[in-house]
Coordinates of all heavy atoms in Angstrom, one line a residue:
M867 N 101.5 -4.7 -72.2 CA 101.6 -6.0 -72.6 C 100.8 -7.0 -71.7 O 100.7 -6.7 -70.5 CB 103.0 -6.5 -72.8 CG 103.1 -8.0 -73.2 SD 104.7 -8.4 -74.0 CE 104.4 -10.0 -74.4
L868 N 100.2 -8.0 -72.2 CA 99.5 -9.0 -71.3 C 100.5 -10.0 -70.7 O 101.5 -10.4 -71.3 CB 98.5 -9.7 -72.1 CG 97.3 -8.9 -72.6 CD1 96.4 -9.8 -73.5 CD2 96.5 -8.2 -71.6
Y869 N 100.2 -10.5 -69.5 CA 100.9 -11.4 -68.8 C 99.9 -12.4 -68.2 O 98.9 -12.1 -67.7 CB 101.8 -10.8 -67.7 CG 102.8 -9.9 -68.3 CD1 102.5 -8.5 -68.6 CD2 104.0 -10.3 -68.6 CE1 103.5 -7.7 -69.2 CE2 105.0 -9.5 -69.3 CZ 104.7 -8.2 -69.5 OH 105.7 -7.4 -70.1
A870 N 100.4 -13.7 -68.3 CA 99.7 -14.7 -67.6 C 100.4 -15.1 -66.3 O 101.5 -15.3 -66.2 CB 99.7 -16.0 -68.6
I871 N 99.6 -15.1 -65.3 CA 100.0 -15.5 -63.9 C 99.4 -16.8 -63.6 O 98.1 -16.8 -63.4 CB 99.7 -14.4 -62.9 CG1 100.3 -13.0 -63.4 CG2 100.1 -14.7 -61.5 CD1 99.7 -11.7 -62.6
L872 N 100.2 -17.8 -63.4 CA 99.8 -19.1 -63.2 C 100.3 -19.5 -61.7 O 101.5 -19.6 -61.5 CB 100.2 -20.1 -64.2 CG 99.6 -21.5 -64.0 CD1 98.1 -21.6 -64.0 CD2 100.2 -22.4 -65.1
A873 N 99.3 -19.7 -60.9 CA 99.8 -20.0 -59.4 C 99.3 -21.4 -59.1 O 98.3 -21.9 -59.5 CB 99.1 -19.0 -58.4
E874 N 100.2 -22.1 -58.3 CA 99.9 -23.5 -57.9 C 99.7 -23.4 -56.4 O 100.5 -22.9 -55.6 CB 101.1 -24.4 -58.3 CG 100.9 -25.7 -57.8 CD 102.1 -26.6 -58.2 OE1 102.8 -26.3 -59.0 OE2 102.3 -27.6 -57.4
D875 N 98.6 -24.0 -55.9 CA 98.3 -24.0 -54.5 C 99.1 -25.0 -53.7 O 99.4 -26.0 -54.2 CB 96.8 -24.3 -54.2 CG 95.9 -23.2 -54.5 OD1 96.3 -22.2 -55.2 OD2 94.7 -23.2 -54.1
T876 N 99.3 -24.6 -52.5 CA 99.9 -25.7 -51.5 C 98.8 -26.7 -51.2 O 97.6 -26.4 -51.3 CB 100.4 -25.0 -50.2 OG1 99.2 -24.4 -49.6 CG2 101.5 -24.0 -50.5
P877 N 99.1 -27.9 -50.8 CA 98.1 -28.9 -50.4 C 97.3 -28.4 -49.3 O 97.8 -27.6 -48.3 CB 99.0 -30.0 -50.1 CG 100.3 -29.9 -50.7 CD 100.5 -28.5 -50.7
N878 N 96.0 -28.7 -49.2 CA 95.2 -28.5 -48.1 C 95.1 -27.0 -47.8 O 95.1 -26.6 -46.5 CB 95.5 -29.3 -46.9 CG 95.6 -30.8 -47.2 OD1 94.7 -31.3 -47.8 ND2 96.7 -31.4 -46.9
S879 N 95.0 -26.1 -48.8 CA 95.0 -24.7 -48.5 C 93.7 -24.0 -48.6 O 93.5 -22.8 -48.6 CB 96.0 -24.0 -49.4 OG 95.7 -24.2 -50.8
L880 N 92.6 -24.9 -48.8 CA 91.3 -24.2 -49.0 C 90.8 -23.3 -47.9 O 90.3 -22.2 -48.2 CB 90.2 -25.4 -49.1 CG 88.8 -24.9 -49.4 CD1 88.8 -24.1 -50.7 CD2 87.8 -26.1 -49.5
D881 N 91.0 -23.6 -46.6 CA 90.6 -22.7 -45.5 C 91.4 -21.4 -45.7 O 90.8 -20.3 -45.5 CB 90.8 -23.3 -44.1 CG 89.8 -24.4 -43.9 OD1 88.7 -24.4 -44.6 OD2 90.1 -25.2 -43.0
R882 N 92.7 -21.4 -45.9 CA 93.5 -20.2 -46.1 C 93.0 -19.4 -47.3 O 92.9 -18.1 -47.3 CB 95.0 -20.5 -46.2 CG 95.5 -20.9 -44.9 CD 96.9 -21.4 -45.1 NE 96.9 -22.7 -45.5 CZ 97.9 -23.4 -46.0 NH1 99.0 -22.9 -46.1 NH2 97.7 -24.7 -46.4
R883 N 92.7 -20.1 -48.4 CA 92.2 -19.5 -49.6 C 90.9 -18.7 -49.3 O 90.8 -17.6 -49.7 CB 92.0 -20.5 -50.7 CG 91.4 -20.0 -52.0 CD 91.1 -21.2 -53.0 NE 92.3 -21.3 -53.8 CZ 92.5 -20.7 -54.9 NH1 91.7 -19.8 -55.4 NH2 93.6 -21.0 -55.7
L884 N 90.0 -19.4 -48.6 CA 88.7 -18.8 -48.4 C 88.9 -17.5 -47.4 O 88.1 -16.5 -47.6 CB 87.7 -19.8 -47.7 CG 87.3 -20.9 -48.6 CD1 86.4 -22.0 -47.9 CD2 86.6 -20.4 -49.8
A885 N 89.8 -17.6 -46.5 CA 90.0 -16.5 -45.6 C 90.6 -15.3 -46.3 O 90.2 -14.1 -46.0 CB 90.9 -16.9 -44.5
A886 N 91.4 -15.5 -47.3 CA 92.2 -14.4 -48.0 C 91.4 -14.0 -49.2 O 91.8 -13.0 -49.9 CB 93.6 -14.9 -48.4
R887 N 90.3 -14.7 -49.5 CA 89.5 -14.4 -50.8 C 89.1 -12.9 -51.0 O 89.3 -12.4 -52.0 CB 88.4 -15.4 -50.9 CG 87.7 -15.3 -52.3 CD 86.8 -16.5 -52.5 NE 86.2 -16.5 -53.8 CZ 85.2 -16.0 -54.3 NH1 84.3 -15.5 -53.4 NH2 84.7 -16.2 -55.6
P888 N 88.5 -12.4 -49.9 CA 88.0 -10.9 -50.1 C 89.2 -10.0 -50.6 O 89.0 -9.2 -51.6 CB 87.4 -10.6 -48.8 CG 87.0 -11.9 -48.3 CD 88.1 -12.8 -48.7
A889 N 90.2 -10.1 -50.0 CA 91.4 -9.2 -50.3 C 92.0 -9.6 -51.7 O 92.2 -8.6 -52.5 CB 92.5 -9.3 -49.3
H890 N 92.0 -10.9 -52.1 CA 92.4 -11.3 -53.4 C 91.4 -10.7 -54.4 O 91.9 -10.1 -55.5 CB 92.5 -12.8 -53.4 CG 92.7 -13.4 -54.8 ND1 94.0 -13.5 -55.4 CD2 91.7 -14.0 -55.6 CE1 93.8 -14.0 -56.5 NE2 92.5 -14.3 -56.7
L891 N 90.2 -10.8 -54.3 CA 89.2 -10.3 -55.2 C 89.2 -8.8 -55.3 O 89.0 -8.3 -56.4 CB 87.8 -10.8 -54.8 CG 87.5 -12.3 -54.9 CD1 86.1 -12.7 -54.5 CD2 87.8 -12.8 -56.3
A892 N 89.5 -8.2 -54.2 CA 89.7 -6.7 -54.2 C 90.7 -6.2 -55.3 O 90.5 -5.2 -56.0 CB 89.8 -6.1 -52.9
R893 N 91.8 -6.9 -55.2 CA 93.0 -6.5 -56.2 C 92.5 -6.8 -57.6 O 92.9 -6.1 -58.5 CB 94.2 -7.4 -55.8 CG 94.8 -6.9 -54.4 CD 96.0 -7.7 -54.1 NE 97.1 -7.1 -54.7 CZ 97.9 -7.7 -55.5 NH1 97.8 -9.0 -55.8 NH2 99.0 -7.1 -56.0
L894 N 91.8 -7.9 -57.8 CA 91.4 -8.2 -59.2 C 90.4 -7.2 -59.6 O 90.4 -6.9 -60.8 CB 90.8 -9.7 -59.2 CG 91.9 -10.8 -59.0 CD1 91.2 -12.1 -58.9 CD2 92.8 -10.8 -60.2
Q895 N 89.5 -6.8 -58.7 CA 88.5 -5.8 -59.2 C 89.2 -4.5 -59.6 O 88.7 -3.8 -60.4 CB 87.5 -5.6 -57.9 CG 86.4 -4.7 -58.2 CD 85.5 -5.2 -59.4 OE1 85.0 -6.4 -59.2 NE2 85.1 -4.4 -60.4
A896 N 90.3 -4.1 -58.8 CA 91.0 -2.9 -59.2 C 91.6 -3.0 -60.6 O 91.5 -2.1 -61.4 CB 92.1 -2.6 -58.1
L897 N 92.1 -4.2 -60.9 CA 92.6 -4.4 -62.3 C 91.4 -4.3 -63.3 O 91.6 -3.7 -64.4 CB 93.3 -5.8 -62.5 CG 94.6 -5.9 -61.9 CD1 95.1 -7.4 -62.1 CD2 95.6 -5.0 -62.5
L898 N 90.3 -4.9 -63.0 CA 89.1 -4.9 -63.9 C 88.7 -3.4 -64.0 O 88.3 -2.9 -65.2 CB 88.0 -5.8 -63.3 CG 86.8 -5.8 -64.0 CD1 87.0 -6.5 -65.5 CD2 85.6 -6.6 -63.4
D899 N 88.5 -2.7 -62.9 CA 88.1 -1.3 -63.0 C 89.0 -0.4 -63.9 O 88.6 0.5 -64.5 CB 88.0 -0.7 -61.6 CG 86.9 -1.4 -60.7 OD1 86.0 -2.1 -61.4 OD2 86.9 -1.2 -59.5
A900 N 90.3 -0.8 -63.8 CA 91.3 0.0 -64.6 C 91.3 -0.6 -66.1 O 92.1 0.0 -66.9 CB 92.7 -0.2 -64.0
G901 N 90.5 -1.5 -66.5 CA 90.4 -2.0 -67.8 C 91.6 -2.9 -68.2 O 91.9 -3.1 -69.4
R902 N 92.3 -3.5 -67.2 CA 93.5 -4.2 -67.5 C 93.3 -5.8 -67.4 O 94.3 -6.5 -67.6 CB 94.7 -3.8 -66.5 CG 95.0 -2.3 -66.7 CD 95.9 -1.7 -65.7 NE 97.0 -2.6 -65.4 CZ 97.6 -2.6 -64.1 NH1 97.3 -1.6 -63.3 NH2 98.5 -3.4 -63.9
L903 N 92.2 -6.2 -66.8 CA 92.0 -7.6 -66.5 C 91.3 -8.3 -67.7 O 90.2 -7.8 -68.2 CB 91.1 -7.8 -65.2 CG 90.9 -9.2 -64.9 CD1 92.2 -9.9 -64.4 CD2 90.0 -9.3 -63.6
V904 N 91.9 -9.3 -68.3 CA 91.3 -10.1 -69.3 C 90.5 -11.2 -68.9 O 89.4 -11.4 -69.2 CB 92.4 -10.6 -70.3 CG1 91.9 -11.6 -71.4 CG2 93.2 -9.5 -70.9
L905 N 91.1 -12.0 -67.8 CA 90.4 -13.1 -67.2 C 91.0 -13.4 -65.9 O 92.2 -13.2 -65.7 CB 90.2 -14.4 -68.1 CG 91.5 -15.1 -68.5 CD1 91.8 -16.2 -67.5 CD2 91.3 -15.6 -69.9
A906 N 90.3 -14.1 -65.0 CA 90.9 -14.6 -63.8 C 90.0 -15.7 -63.1 O 88.7 -15.5 -63.3 CB 91.1 -13.5 -62.8
G907 N 90.6 -16.6 -62.5 CA 89.7 -17.6 -61.9 C 90.6 -18.7 -61.3 O 91.8 -18.8 -61.6
P908 N 89.9 -19.5 -60.5 CA 90.6 -20.6 -59.8 C 90.6 -21.9 -60.7 O 89.9 -22.0 -61.6 CB 89.8 -20.9 -58.5 CG 88.4 -20.5 -58.9 CD 88.6 -19.3 -59.8
L909 N 91.5 -22.8 -60.4 CA 91.6 -24.1 -61.0 C 91.1 -25.1 -60.1 O 91.7 -25.4 -59.2 CB 93.0 -24.3 -61.4 CG 93.8 -23.3 -62.2 CD1 95.3 -23.6 -62.3 CD2 93.1 -23.0 -63.6
P910 N 89.8 -25.6 -60.3 CA 89.3 -26.7 -59.4 C 90.3 -27.9 -59.3 O 90.8 -28.3 -60.4 CB 88.0 -27.0 -60.0 CG 87.6 -25.8 -60.8 CD 88.9 -25.2 -61.4
A911 N 90.3 -28.4 -58.1 CA 91.2 -29.6 -58.0 C 90.7 -30.9 -58.6 O 91.4 -31.8 -58.8 CB 91.5 -29.8 -56.5
I912 N 89.3 -30.9 -58.8 CA 88.7 -32.0 -59.4 C 87.9 -31.5 -60.6 O 87.7 -30.3 -60.7 CB 87.8 -32.8 -58.5 CG1 86.7 -31.9 -57.8 CG2 88.7 -33.5 -57.5 CD1 85.8 -32.7 -57.0
D913 N 87.4 -32.4 -61.6 CA 86.7 -32.0 -62.7 C 85.2 -31.6 -62.6 O 84.4 -32.3 -62.9 CB 86.8 -33.2 -63.7 CG 86.4 -32.7 -65.1 OD1 86.3 -31.6 -65.4 OD2 86.2 -33.7 -66.0
T914 N 85.1 -30.4 -61.9 CA 83.8 -29.9 -61.7 C 84.0 -28.4 -61.3 O 84.9 -28.0 -60.7 CB 83.1 -30.6 -60.5 OG1 81.8 -30.0 -60.3 CG2 83.8 -30.5 -59.2
P915 N 83.0 -27.6 -61.7 CA 83.1 -26.1 -61.4 C 83.0 -25.8 -59.9 O 83.5 -24.8 -59.5 CB 81.9 -25.5 -62.1 CG 81.1 -26.6 -62.7 CD 81.8 -27.9 -62.6
D916 N 82.4 -26.8 -59.1 CA 82.3 -26.6 -57.7 C 83.0 -27.8 -57.0 O 82.2 -28.7 -56.8 CB 80.8 -26.4 -57.3 CG 80.7 -26.1 -55.7 OD1 81.7 -25.9 -55.0 OD2 79.6 -26.2 -55.3
P917 N 84.2 -27.6 -56.7 CA 84.9 -28.8 -56.1 C 84.6 -29.1 -54.7 O 85.2 -30.1 -54.2 CB 86.4 -28.5 -56.3 CG 86.4 -26.9 -56.2 CD 85.1 -26.5 -56.9
G918 N 83.9 -28.2 -54.0 CA 83.6 -28.5 -52.6 C 84.9 -28.6 -51.8 O 85.8 -27.9 -52.0
P919 N 84.9 -29.6 -50.9 CA 86.1 -29.7 -50.0 C 87.4 -30.1 -50.7 O 88.5 -30.0 -50.1 CB 85.6 -30.8 -48.9 CG 84.5 -31.5 -49.6 CD 83.8 -30.5 -50.5
A920 N 87.3 -30.6 -51.9 CA 88.5 -30.8 -52.7 C 89.3 -29.6 -53.0 O 90.5 -29.6 -53.2 CB 88.2 -31.6 -54.0
G921 N 88.5 -28.5 -53.0 CA 89.3 -27.2 -53.2 C 89.8 -27.0 -54.6 O 89.3 -27.4 -55.6
F922 N 90.9 -26.2 -54.6 CA 91.4 -25.7 -55.8 C 93.0 -26.1 -55.9 O 93.6 -26.3 -54.9 CB 91.3 -24.2 -56.0 CG 89.8 -23.9 -56.0 CD1 89.1 -23.6 -54.8 CD2 89.1 -23.9 -57.1 CE1 87.9 -23.2 -54.8 CE2 87.7 -23.6 -57.2 CZ 87.1 -23.3 -56.0
S923 N 93.4 -26.2 -57.2 CA 94.8 -26.5 -57.3 C 95.7 -25.3 -57.7 O 96.9 -25.3 -57.8 CB 95.0 -27.5 -58.4 OG 94.6 -27.1 -59.7
G924 N 95.1 -24.2 -57.9 CA 95.8 -23.0 -58.2 C 94.8 -21.9 -58.9 O 93.6 -22.0 -58.7
S925 N 95.4 -20.9 -59.5 CA 94.7 -19.8 -60.1 C 95.4 -19.4 -61.4 O 96.6 -19.6 -61.6 CB 94.7 -18.6 -59.1 OG 94.0 -18.9 -57.9
L926 N 94.5 -18.7 -62.3 CA 95.1 -18.2 -63.5 C 94.5 -16.7 -63.6 O 93.4 -16.5 -63.4 CB 94.6 -19.0 -64.7 CG 94.9 -18.4 -66.1 CD1 96.5 -18.3 -66.3 CD2 94.2 -19.2 -67.2
V927 N 95.5 -15.9 -63.9 CA 95.1 -14.4 -64.1 C 95.9 -14.0 -65.4 O 97.0 -14.2 -65.6 CB 95.6 -13.5 -62.9 CG1 95.4 -12.0 -63.3 CG2 95.0 -13.9 -61.7
V928 N 95.1 -13.4 -66.3 CA 95.7 -12.8 -67.5 C 95.3 -11.2 -67.4 O 94.1 -11.0 -67.4 CB 95.1 -13.4 -68.7 CG1 95.8 -12.7 -70.0 CG2 95.5 -14.9 -68.8
A929 N 96.3 -10.5 -67.3 CA 96.1 -9.0 -67.2 C 97.2 -8.2 -67.9 O 98.3 -8.8 -68.2 CB 96.0 -8.7 -65.7
E930 N 97.0 -6.9 -68.1 CA 98.0 -6.0 -68.7 C 98.7 -5.4 -67.6 O 98.2 -4.8 -66.6 CB 97.1 -5.0 -69.5 CG 98.1 -4.0 -70.2 CD 97.3 -2.9 -71.0 OE1 96.1 -3.1 -71.2 OE2 98.0 -2.0 -71.5
F931 N 100.1 -5.4 -67.9 CA 101.1 -4.8 -67.0 C 102.1 -3.9 -67.8 O 102.3 -4.4 -69.1 CB 101.8 -5.7 -66.1 CG 100.9 -6.4 -65.0 CD1 100.2 -7.6 -65.3 CD2 100.6 -5.8 -63.8 CE1 99.3 -8.1 -64.4 CE2 99.7 -6.3 -62.9 CZ 99.2 -7.5 -63.2
D932 N 102.8 -3.0 -67.3 CA 103.8 -2.3 -68.1 C 105.0 -3.1 -68.4 O 105.7 -2.8 -69.3 CB 104.2 -1.1 -67.3 CG 103.1 0.0 -67.1 OD1 102.2 0.1 -68.0 OD2 103.2 0.8 -66.2
S933 N 105.2 -4.1 -67.6 CA 106.5 -5.0 -67.9 C 106.3 -6.3 -67.1 O 105.5 -6.4 -66.2 CB 107.7 -4.2 -67.4 OG 107.6 -4.1 -65.9
L934 N 107.2 -7.2 -67.5 CA 107.2 -8.4 -66.8 C 107.5 -8.2 -65.3 O 106.9 -8.9 -64.5 CB 108.3 -9.4 -67.4 CG 108.6 -10.7 -66.8 CD1 107.3 -11.5 -66.7 CD2 109.6 -11.5 -67.4
S935 N 108.4 -7.4 -65.0 CA 108.8 -7.1 -63.6 C 107.6 -6.5 -62.8 O 107.4 -6.9 -61.7 CB 110.0 -6.3 -63.4 OG 109.8 -5.0 -64.1
A936 N 106.8 -5.7 -63.4 CA 105.6 -5.1 -62.9 C 104.5 -6.3 -62.5 O 103.9 -6.3 -61.5 CB 105.0 -4.0 -63.7
A937 N 104.4 -7.1 -63.5 CA 103.5 -8.3 -63.4 C 104.0 -9.3 -62.2 O 103.2 -9.6 -61.4 CB 103.3 -9.0 -64.7
E938 N 105.2 -9.4 -62.1 CA 105.8 -10.3 -61.1 C 105.7 -9.6 -59.7 O 105.3 -10.3 -58.7 CB 107.3 -10.6 -61.4 CG 107.6 -11.5 -62.6 CD 108.9 -11.6 -63.0 OE1 109.8 -10.7 -62.7 OE2 109.4 -12.7 -63.6
A939 N 105.9 -8.3 -59.7 CA 105.7 -7.6 -58.4 C 104.2 -7.7 -58.0 O 104.0 -8.0 -56.7 CB 106.1 -6.2 -58.5
W940 N 103.3 -7.5 -58.8 CA 101.9 -7.6 -58.5 C 101.6 -9.0 -58.0 O 100.9 -9.2 -57.0 CB 101.0 -7.3 -59.8 CG 99.5 -7.2 -59.4 CD1 98.9 -6.0 -59.0 CD2 98.6 -8.2 -59.4 NE1 97.5 -6.3 -58.9 CE2 97.4 -7.7 -59.1 CE3 98.7 -9.5 -59.8 CZ2 96.2 -8.5 -59.0 CZ3 97.6 -10.3 -59.8 CH2 96.4 -9.7 -59.4
A941 N 102.0 -10.0 -58.7 CA 101.7 -11.4 -58.3 C 102.3 -11.7 -57.0 O 101.7 -12.4 -56.1 CB 102.3 -12.3 -59.4
N942 N 103.6 -11.2 -56.6 CA 104.2 -11.4 -55.4 C 103.5 -10.8 -54.2 O 103.8 -11.2 -53.1 CB 105.7 -11.0 -55.5 CG 106.4 -12.0 -56.3 OD1 106.1 -13.2 -56.3 ND2 107.5 -11.6 -56.9
E943 N 102.7 -9.8 -54.5 CA 102.0 -9.0 -53.5 C 100.5 -9.7 -53.3 O 99.8 -9.0 -52.4 CB 101.9 -7.7 -53.8 CG 103.2 -6.9 -53.6 CD 103.3 -5.5 -54.2 OE1 102.2 -4.9 -54.5 OE2 104.4 -5.0 -54.4
D944 N 100.2 -10.7 -53.9 CA 98.8 -11.2 -53.8 C 98.5 -11.7 -52.4 O 99.4 -12.4 -51.8 CB 98.7 -12.4 -54.8 CG 97.2 -12.8 -55.0 OD1 96.6 -13.3 -54.0 OD2 96.8 -12.5 -56.1
P945 N 97.3 -11.4 -51.8 CA 97.0 -12.0 -50.5 C 97.1 -13.4 -50.4 O 97.4 -14.0 -49.3 CB 95.6 -11.5 -50.3 CG 95.6 -10.2 -51.2 CD 96.4 -10.5 -52.3
Y946 N 96.8 -14.2 -51.5 CA 96.9 -15.7 -51.4 C 98.4 -16.1 -51.2 O 98.6 -17.1 -50.5 CB 96.4 -16.3 -52.7 CG 94.9 -16.4 -52.8 CD1 94.3 -16.8 -54.0 CD2 94.0 -16.1 -51.8 CE1 92.9 -16.9 -54.2 CE2 92.7 -16.2 -51.9 CZ 92.1 -16.6 -53.1 OH 90.8 -16.7 -53.3
K947 N 99.3 -15.4 -51.8 CA 100.8 -15.7 -51.5 C 101.1 -15.4 -50.1 O 101.8 -16.2 -49.4 CB 101.7 -14.9 -52.5 CG 103.1 -15.4 -52.4 CD 103.8 -14.9 -53.6 CE 105.3 -15.6 -53.4 NZ 106.2 -15.1 -54.5
A948 N 100.6 -14.3 -49.6 CA 100.9 -13.9 -48.2 C 100.3 -14.9 -47.2 O 100.8 -15.1 -46.1 CB 100.5 -12.4 -47.9
A949 N 99.1 -15.4 -47.5 CA 98.5 -16.3 -46.6 C 99.0 -17.8 -46.8 O 98.5 -18.7 -46.1 CB 96.9 -16.3 -46.9
G950 N 99.9 -18.1 -47.6 CA 100.4 -19.3 -47.8 C 99.6 -20.3 -48.6 O 99.7 -21.5 -48.7
V951 N 98.7 -19.6 -49.4 CA 97.8 -20.5 -50.3 C 98.7 -20.9 -51.5 O 98.7 -22.1 -52.0 CB 96.6 -19.7 -50.8 CG1 95.9 -20.5 -52.0 CG2 95.8 -19.4 -49.7
Y952 N 99.5 -20.0 -52.1 CA 100.3 -20.3 -53.3 C 101.6 -20.9 -52.9 O 102.4 -20.4 -52.1 CB 100.5 -19.1 -54.2 CG 99.3 -18.5 -54.9 CD1 99.3 -17.2 -55.2 CD2 98.2 -19.3 -55.1 CE1 98.2 -16.7 -56.0 CE2 97.1 -18.7 -55.8 CZ 97.1 -17.4 -56.2 OH 96.0 -16.9 -56.9
A953 N 102.0 -22.0 -53.5 CA 103.3 -22.6 -53.3 C 104.2 -22.0 -54.3 O 105.4 -21.8 -54.0 CB 103.2 -24.2 -53.5
R954 N 103.7 -21.9 -55.5 CA 104.6 -21.4 -56.7 C 103.8 -20.5 -57.5 O 102.5 -20.7 -57.7 CB 105.1 -22.5 -57.6 CG 106.3 -23.3 -56.9 CD 106.7 -24.5 -57.7 NE 105.8 -25.6 -57.6 CZ 105.6 -26.4 -56.5 NH1 106.2 -26.0 -55.4 NH2 104.9 -27.4 -56.5
V955 N 104.4 -19.4 -58.1 CA 103.7 -18.5 -59.0 C 104.7 -18.3 -60.1 O 105.8 -17.9 -60.0 CB 103.5 -17.1 -58.3 CG1 102.8 -16.2 -59.4 CG2 102.5 -17.3 -57.1
K956 N 104.1 -18.5 -61.4 CA 104.9 -18.2 -62.6 C 104.2 -17.1 -63.3 O 103.0 -17.0 -63.4 CB 104.8 -19.5 -63.5 CG 105.6 -20.7 -62.9 CD 105.5 -21.8 -63.9 CE 106.2 -23.0 -63.4 NZ 106.2 -24.2 -64.3
V957 N 104.9 -16.3 -63.9 CA 104.5 -15.1 -64.7 C 105.2 -15.1 -66.0 O 106.4 -15.2 -66.1 CB 104.8 -13.7 -64.0 CG1 104.2 -12.6 -64.8 CG2 104.2 -13.7 -62.6
R958 N 104.3 -15.1 -67.1 CA 104.9 -15.3 -68.4 C 104.2 -14.2 -69.3 O 103.0 -14.0 -69.2 CB 104.6 -16.6 -69.0 CG 105.2 -17.8 -68.3 CD 106.7 -17.9 -68.6 NE 107.3 -19.1 -68.0 CZ 107.8 -19.1 -66.8 NH1 107.9 -18.1 -66.0 NH2 108.4 -20.2 -66.4
P959 N 104.9 -13.6 -70.3 CA 104.3 -12.8 -71.3 C 103.3 -13.6 -72.0 O 103.4 -14.8 -72.3 CB 105.5 -12.4 -72.2 CG 106.7 -12.6 -71.4 CD 106.4 -13.8 -70.5
F960 N 102.1 -12.9 -72.4 CA 101.0 -13.6 -73.1 C 100.6 -12.8 -74.3 O 100.4 -11.6 -74.2 CB 99.9 -13.8 -72.0 CG 98.7 -14.4 -72.7 CD1 98.6 -15.8 -72.7 CD2 97.5 -13.7 -73.0 CE1 97.5 -16.5 -73.2 CE2 96.5 -14.4 -73.5 CZ 96.4 -15.7 -73.6
K961 N 100.4 -13.5 -75.4 CA 99.9 -12.9 -76.6 C 98.5 -13.4 -76.9 O 98.4 -14.6 -77.2 CB 100.8 -13.1 -77.8 CG 100.3 -12.5 -79.0 CD 101.2 -12.7 -80.2 CE 100.6 -12.1 -81.5 NZ 101.4 -12.4 -82.7
Q962 N 97.5 -12.6 -76.7 CA 96.1 -13.0 -77.0 C 95.9 -13.1 -78.4 O 96.2 -12.1 -79.2 CB 95.1 -12.0 -76.3 CG 93.7 -12.5 -76.4 CD 92.8 -11.6 -75.6 OE1 93.2 -10.6 -74.9 NE2 91.5 -11.9 -75.7
V963 N 95.4 -14.2 -78.9 CA 95.0 -14.4 -80.3 C 93.5 -14.4 -80.4 O 92.9 -13.8 -81.4 CB 95.6 -15.7 -80.9 CG1 95.2 -15.9 -82.3 CG2 97.1 -15.5 -80.8
F964 N 92.7 -15.1 -79.6 CA 91.3 -15.2 -79.6 C 90.8 -14.9 -78.2 O 91.5 -15.2 -77.2 CB 90.9 -16.6 -80.0 CG 91.2 -17.0 -81.4 CD1 92.2 -17.9 -81.7 CD2 90.4 -16.5 -82.5 CE1 92.5 -18.3 -82.9 CE2 90.7 -16.9 -83.7 CZ 91.7 -17.8 -84.0
P965 N 89.7 -14.5 -78.0 CA 88.8 -13.7 -79.0 C 89.4 -12.5 -79.4 O 90.0 -11.8 -78.8 CB 87.5 -13.6 -78.3 CG 87.8 -13.6 -76.9 CD 89.0 -14.3 -76.6

């Protein structure tokens, strides 16, 4: 089943986000390589694709997991969470309708 992982960043976490980014992307690449990643990306803090020093307000990942608990476990092991980038992470079942 698909799950949406919506994470909210802590204030002023851009430097921590950038430092943890390679490890974060490696985990996403593993999901992609396994054919389980639908989409993933950051949420810019301002209305532009490149927010510069304003940074990001969070992230969204939609991927396939065996269960809600497996998706939650994966989200809780994210390098951004370990680095203090994420203040909160919500994981919800997701039903893709489009495309």
Side-chain angles (χ1 to χ4, degrees):
M867 178 160 183
L868 294 178
Y869 295 88
I871 300 168
L872 183 60
E874 182 181 332
D875 283 14
T876 59
N878 304 310
S879 60
L880 182 58
D881 289 341
R882 286 174 283 167
R883 177 181 271 272
L884 294 174
R887 190 170 188 260
H890 172 78
L891 293 180
R893 293 181 83 235
L894 291 170
Q895 186 65 52
L897 284 178
L898 183 64
D899 292 346
R902 297 171 44 204
L903 184 64
V904 175
L905 65 89
L909 306 171
I912 58 176
D913 190 14
T914 180
D916 182 7
F922 299 93
S923 62
S925 299
L926 172 64
V927 174
V928 177
E930 183 180 349
F931 293 92
D932 290 335
S933 65
L934 177 60
S935 61
E938 289 171 333
W940 186 90
N942 285 330
E943 294 171 6
D944 194 292
Y946 282 171
K947 188 163 184 184
V951 174
Y952 290 159
R954 283 175 282 294
V955 178
K956 294 181 183 179
V957 181
R958 299 286 187 264
F960 180 78
K961 181 180 176 183
Q962 184 175 359
V963 177
F964 293 105

